[in-house]
């Protein structure tokens, strides 16, 4: 980590910068750290402000809007007198530029929700650059022509995707798109996936991206969630750069847009339509995923619906028992690669396949819990133990579909004695964080809402924060009977 000294107070040596990173990881969790802080560097300290740097503007704005207090607290482990943290965008080869702190932009929520805020400060003009990937741990963030993409999960490849009758057509179309786009062969364009949550559409979208990257590392492709597209467009408007934003898409050879149902805002929708039409007219590959087919997305106008339906619109259906069994067996095999002693009996596999019928995330979560339980016990698991471990994953009669996130917020607030305002705030005291994490976990288990939507309903948080909360609660469940009982009580409250 390169550290520039600009003040009378000497900067600590390299291990202390590492200590700040370790503190961030411990405070925020691996997922958030990897997504937002892995590439952050400590630049200087002038006695009051710690200057840090990141490689792209999007990371800078997101950290300032969501995690600036966490970053300041972690920096104070080394710089006790620090009053603030400035985040700047690194400019390779320009030492002076790297030492100039950038003014704080408006928060992400303000940028999305208010047109009256002052525009974002100007930075160095963005020039078209070759496609690249910013590596953050084992994840990858695509980018092309100055546009930063959303992170790709290294697990979401074609090799880990389990094919069955409900997803065979979608899988075949995804493979064809990945194989033909880099060689200019005939393709299905546009390609549109839709399904309920947890059935694999995001997995297929990212698998296409990984396969394209493997086949041609210089291919100009971009994977974006609709939420990220919207944020970047709003940022471009606020910095008086909407035309340049539009132009950056012209040379992209493949665009993958996920969670289209979350595209919001009249101007954003108009810009999205223009970009899609430009790419399709130019023969560029477009792949879209959504919870609903184009005909059921109310925000799309008739022209856009018609355009998206000209290629292939394919639904990924619910898993049948055969596919659920195949998914379970694959996940068990993956666990055995890292822990050869782990195994589940056929009776337990059948139990899971029969009881967990909603989506693949349930199945994967069940295997993770049972593996953790086995690690503690180091003895063969019985069906009774397995049934206890997955008890809160099992839905009864579909009643969970009627539970709303507002109901969960109300029950969590009353049960833990925490106001709804605190649950939605940026407070990070354990008395607030723990109830908030339980609320996010219940929202994922008891509603059909996606991670980005849950994050928005819990104070406009990022989906990685929701994922961290879910994994945190799942990790506690295996050896915490009190927590299991408490969750059951909360579910009973929500059912009445």
């Amino acid at each position: 980590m390169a550290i520039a000294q600009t003040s009378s107070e000497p900067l600590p040596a390299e291990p202390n910068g590492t200590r700040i990173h370790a503190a961030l990881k411990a405070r925020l969790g691996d997922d958030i750290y990897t997504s937002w802080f892995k590439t952050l560097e400590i630049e200087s300290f002038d006695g009051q402000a710690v200057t840090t740097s990141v490689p792209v503007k999007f990371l800078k704005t997101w950290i300032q809007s969501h995690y600036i207090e966490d970053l300041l607290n972690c920096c104070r482990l080394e710089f006790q007198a620090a009053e603030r943290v400035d985040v700047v965008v690194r400019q390779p080869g320009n030492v002076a530029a790297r030492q100039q702190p950038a003014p704080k932009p408006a928060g992400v929520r303000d940028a999305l929700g208010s047109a009256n805020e002052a525009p974002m400060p100007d930075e160095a003009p963005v020039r078209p650059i070759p496609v690249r990937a910013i590596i953050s741990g084992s994840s990858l963030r695509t980018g092309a022509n100055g546009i930063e993409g959303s992170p790709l999960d290294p697990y979401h490849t074609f090799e880990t995707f389990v094919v069955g009758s409900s997803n065979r057509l979608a899988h075949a179309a995804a493979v064809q798109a990945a194989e033909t786009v880099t060689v200019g062969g005939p393709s299905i364009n546009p390609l549109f996936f839709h399904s309920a949550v947890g059935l694999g559409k995001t997995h297929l979208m990212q698998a296409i991206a990984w396969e394209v990257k493997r086949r041609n590392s210089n291919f100009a492709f971009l994977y974006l969630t609709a939420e990220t597209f919207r944020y970047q467009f709003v940022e471009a408007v606020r910095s008086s750069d909407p035309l340049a934003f539009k132009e950056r898409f012209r040379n992209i050879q493949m665009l993958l847009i996920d969670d289209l149902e979350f595209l919001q805002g009249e101007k954003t929708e108009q810009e999205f339509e223009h970009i899609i039409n430009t790419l399709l007219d130019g023969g560029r590959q477009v792949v879209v995923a959504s919870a609903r087919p184009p005909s059921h997305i109310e925000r799309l106008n008739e022209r856009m619906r018609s355009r998206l339906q000209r290629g292939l619109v394919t639904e990924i259906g619910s898993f049948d028992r055969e596919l659920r069994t195949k998914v379970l067996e694959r996940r068990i095999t993956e666990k055995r690669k890292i822990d050869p002693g782990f195994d589940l009996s056929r009776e337990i596999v059948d139990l899971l396949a029969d009881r967990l019928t909603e989506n693949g995330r349930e199945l994967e979560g069940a295997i993770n819990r049972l593996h953790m339980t086995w690690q503690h016990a180091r003895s063969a698991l019985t069906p009774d133990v397995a049934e206890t471990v997955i008890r809160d994953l099992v839905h009864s009669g579909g009643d969970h579909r009627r539970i709303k996130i507002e109901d969960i917020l109300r029950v969590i607030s009353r049960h833990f004695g925490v106001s709804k305002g605190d649950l939605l705030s940026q407070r990070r005291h354990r008395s607030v964080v723990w109830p908030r994490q339980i609320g996010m976990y219940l929202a994922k288990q008891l509603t059909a809402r996606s991670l980005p939507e849950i994050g928005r309903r819990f104070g406009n948080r990022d989906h990685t924060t929701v994922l961290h909360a879910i994994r945190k609660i799942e990790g506690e469940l295996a050896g915490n009977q009190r927590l299991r009982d408490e969750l059951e009580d909360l579910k009973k409250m929500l059912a009445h």
Side-chain angles (χ1 to χ4, degrees):
M1 181 183 302
I3 299 179
Q5 183 173 333
T6 62
S7 73
S8 58
E9 179 173 340
L11 274 169
E14 171 73 16
N16 292 326
T18 303
R19 184 182 174 189
I20 292 174
H21 275 262
L24 285 166
K25 184 181 291 187
R27 184 183 184 92
L28 300 173
D30 289 343
D31 295 318
I32 294 175
Y33 171 80
T34 298
S35 295
W36 307 111
F37 291 96
K38 187 72 172 180
T39 57
L40 179 137
E41 293 184 5
I42 311 300
E43 298 286 344
S44 64
F45 177 59
D46 64 5
Q48 292 183 317
V50 179
T51 299
T52 64
S53 69
V54 290
V56 293
K57 184 178 179 182
F58 180 78
L59 287 177
K60 164 194 164 184
T61 305
W62 195 264
I63 290 172
Q64 287 178 316
S65 301
H66 289 71
Y67 302 111
I68 197 67
E69 290 300 323
D70 298 295
L71 181 56
L72 175 59
N73 288 331
C74 291
C75 285
R76 281 174 175 164
L77 294 175
E78 298 302 334
F79 311 110
Q80 295 181 4
E83 297 179 3
R84 72 175 194 274
V85 176
D86 293 319
V87 185
V88 302
V89 178
R90 285 196 292 276
Q91 299 182 19
N94 186 347
V95 176
R98 290 182 60 176
Q99 294 176 355
Q100 291 299 320
K104 290 185 180 180
V108 171
R109 279 180 292 169
D110 292 338
L112 295 178
S114 171
N116 298 321
E117 291 283 335
M120 301 282 286
D122 291 333
E123 295 186 349
V126 179
R127 296 180 296 276
I129 56 178
V131 66
R132 68 200 184 283
I134 298 172
I135 303 297
S136 300
S138 57
S139 64
L140 178 143
R141 185 183 294 273
T142 63
N145 296 337
I147 303 173
E148 291 306 323
S150 301
L152 298 178
D153 188 330
Y155 181 76
H156 288 163
T157 65
F158 286 128
E159 287 72 21
T160 59
F161 189 85
V162 183
V163 181
S165 59
S166 62
N167 59 25
R168 186 167 283 110
L169 176 60
H171 175 264
V175 170
Q176 178 177 329
E179 290 178 346
T180 59
V181 69
T182 57
V183 296
S187 64
I188 303 167
N189 199 21
L191 178 57
F192 195 107
F193 303 116
H194 67 97
S195 76
V197 297
L199 297 181
K201 58 184 181 295
T202 293
H203 191 145
L204 280 181
M205 294 280 285
Q206 296 196 12
I208 294 172
W210 281 113
E211 181 64 15
V212 169
K213 175 68 178 173
R214 185 187 71 81
R215 288 172 174 267
N216 185 347
S217 61
N218 292 317
F219 194 78
F221 71 96
L222 187 64
Y223 169 77
L224 281 172
T225 64
E227 187 176 38
T228 304
F229 176 90
R230 178 189 177 218
Y231 170 78
Q232 294 192 2
F233 173 66
V234 170
E235 185 184 61
V237 171
R238 295 177 65 79
S239 60
S240 301
D241 196 26
L243 292 178
F245 176 80
K246 185 182 304 182
E247 287 299 313
R248 291 174 193 148
F249 281 88
R250 285 190 177 275
N251 295 324
I252 290 174
Q253 295 166 283
M254 182 180 199
L255 177 64
L256 303 104
I257 294 286
D258 205 354
D259 295 325
L260 180 63
E261 68 272 19
F262 296 123
L263 192 69
Q264 298 178 11
E266 182 178 354
K267 291 184 178 180
T268 306
E269 293 158 15
Q270 291 173 353
E271 188 68 18
F272 174 78
E273 179 182 358
H274 175 83
I275 288 171
I276 294 298
N277 285 331
T278 300
L279 292 175
L280 291 175
D281 290 342
R284 308 303 173 88
Q285 179 70 56
V286 174
V287 186
V288 181
S290 173
R292 298 183 290 276
S295 59
H296 292 174
I297 301 177
E298 296 179 358
R299 292 184 175 275
L300 297 179
N301 60 45
E302 287 302 321
R303 294 189 308 274
M304 194 73 254
R305 289 177 187 167
S306 175
R307 197 77 196 259
L308 291 174
Q309 292 178 121
R310 288 181 188 176
L312 175 66
V313 178
T314 177
E315 180 180 10
I316 303 174
S318 299
F319 294 2
D320 58 21
R321 191 183 188 283
E322 179 183 0
L323 182 53
R324 294 197 297 272
T325 301
K326 288 172 66 176
V327 170
L328 290 166
E329 291 172 343
R330 173 71 68 84
R331 302 304 175 240
I332 293 169
T333 299
E334 291 167 353
K335 291 295 184 187
R336 285 177 58 81
K337 288 180 180 179
I338 60 174
D339 203 342
F342 175 68
D343 201 6
L344 296 178
S345 68
R346 172 51 55 185
E347 188 176 359
I348 292 178
V349 172
D350 290 342
L351 169 69
L352 299 179
D354 289 335
R355 301 291 297 277
L356 303 176
T357 60
E358 289 295 313
N359 56 56
R361 292 174 186 166
E362 279 187 340
L363 301 173
E364 185 172 353
I367 296 301
N368 288 337
R369 293 186 186 191
L370 291 169
H371 178 236
M372 184 173 295
T373 303
W374 177 84
Q375 284 182 319
H376 287 291
R378 287 291 168 180
S379 60
L381 300 177
T382 66
D384 287 342
V385 170
E387 190 160 9
T388 300
V389 170
I390 69 166
R391 183 173 56 186
D392 68 304
L393 289 176
V394 178
H395 304 297
S396 58
D399 289 344
H400 67 289
R401 293 294 181 187
R402 293 196 291 269
I403 294 174
K404 301 178 181 178
I405 291 181
E406 189 65 28
D407 300 327
I408 293 173
L409 287 168
R410 186 184 67 254
V411 168
I412 289 291
S413 175
R414 185 171 65 239
H415 179 75
F416 288 97
V418 178
S419 71
K420 179 182 174 182
D422 279 341
L423 290 173
L424 302 183
S425 73
Q426 297 301 312
R427 287 193 60 196
R428 296 190 176 278
H429 190 276
R430 180 173 172 80
S431 64
V432 176
V433 171
W434 181 248
R436 184 188 295 140
Q437 289 176 331
I438 288 180
M440 291 178 179
Y441 173 82
L442 290 174
K444 188 68 195 77
Q445 294 298 318
L446 302 180
T447 77
R449 303 303 181 187
S450 67
L451 298 185
E453 187 165 357
I454 292 172
R456 279 193 292 274
R457 299 295 297 277
F458 276 81
N460 206 24
R461 286 173 162 78
D462 182 62
H463 77 279
T464 56
T465 304
V466 181
L467 182 60
H468 172 70
I470 292 168
R471 290 178 175 173
K472 172 72 172 177
I473 301 303
E474 287 181 345
E476 293 283 340
L477 278 171
N480 192 333
Q481 184 62 48
R482 181 178 178 182
L483 176 58
R484 292 182 210 156
D485 293 340
E486 188 172 41
L487 287 172
E488 286 301 309
D489 290 342
L490 289 168
K491 288 177 182 178
K492 290 176 183 176
M493 296 177 199
L494 287 164
H496 289 86

